[in-house]
Amino acid sequence: MSKLVRFGVSIDRDLLLKFDRLIHQQNYQNRSEAIRDLIREILIKKEWFEGKEIAGAIVLVYDHHKRELVNKLLSIQHDYGNLIVATQHIHLNHNNCLEVITVRGKPKEIEQLAFTIKSAKGVKHTQLVATTTGKEIV
Ligand code: NI
């Protein structure tokens, strides 16, 4: 278990005011928790940058009536099966489906999967949510 330490920070007053306003809007109870999250954010970016095993989700919306698109998306997912942990499919309305593809693996391969999905004809929107396996994040 890691120990809690305190440290002082010198910061421009206006910058701190802006920070306090922002974290208040985001419902943080205090600066400490907001600063901890900022540090985690940077560490997770570093995990991605360094090519460590990471986790994430690819969210996409598409029209399932588009010819060949459903087959194409299935085929892509089989090609990248080693990265995919689970897929959730939601029928949004008559035409549109939303899928959440949960992934785990090397950042470059996951980005490649996201790009391949994004560039498939008929996919309306794709978003890659990049997070961590949590192993090295306290
Ligand atoms: Ni559907």
Side-chain angles (χ1 to χ4, degrees):
M1 187 135 160
S2 56
K3 285 185 183 148
L4 212 57
V5 291
R6 288 177 185 276
F7 64 99
V9 179
S10 301
I11 188 169
D12 182 278
R13 182 191 303 266
D14 290 344
L15 190 59
L16 185 60
L17 276 173
K18 281 187 179 176
F19 184 67
D20 282 346
R21 247 178 272 139
L22 179 77
I23 67 175
H24 178 73
Q25 285 167 3
Q26 294 180 358
N27 291 331
Y28 279 103
Q29 299 301 308
N30 55 57
R31 286 180 191 142
S32 293
E33 194 50 44
I35 290 168
R36 281 192 282 270
D37 273 355
L38 284 176
I39 293 171
R40 289 187 193 109
E41 195 78 38
I42 296 164
L43 291 172
I44 291 166
K45 274 194 183 136
K46 192 166 172 276
E47 285 185 354
W48 275 73
F49 186 73
E50 290 178 344
K52 296 195 169 156
E53 188 196 46
I54 49 81
I58 300 166
V59 182
L60 63 143
V61 173
Y62 63 93
D63 183 343
H64 72 100
H65 290 123
K66 293 275 181 205
R67 270 174 67 102
E68 298 299 323
L69 180 58
V70 176
N71 281 339
K72 169 96 178 158
L73 289 172
L74 270 176
S75 165
I76 293 169
Q77 291 189 45
H78 277 267
D79 289 345
Y80 288 87
N82 59 323
L83 301 176
I84 297 174
V85 181
T87 303
Q88 186 177 33
H89 184 108
I90 294 104
H91 311 299
L92 282 180
N93 47 49
H94 183 69
N95 293 323
N96 298 292
C97 303
L98 181 147
E99 270 184 28
V100 181
I101 304 170
T102 309
V103 288
R104 184 171 57 200
K106 295 284 178 193
K108 280 219 164 75
E109 291 173 29
I110 287 170
E111 280 168 353
Q112 203 54 53
L113 168 59
F115 289 143
T116 307
I117 289 170
K118 191 174 191 162
S119 61
K121 200 175 170 207
V123 174
K124 293 184 176 181
H125 186 234
T126 306
Q127 183 92 52
L128 171 60
V129 181
T131 185
T132 175
T133 61
K135 281 184 203 163
E136 294 178 28
I137 304 291
V138 183

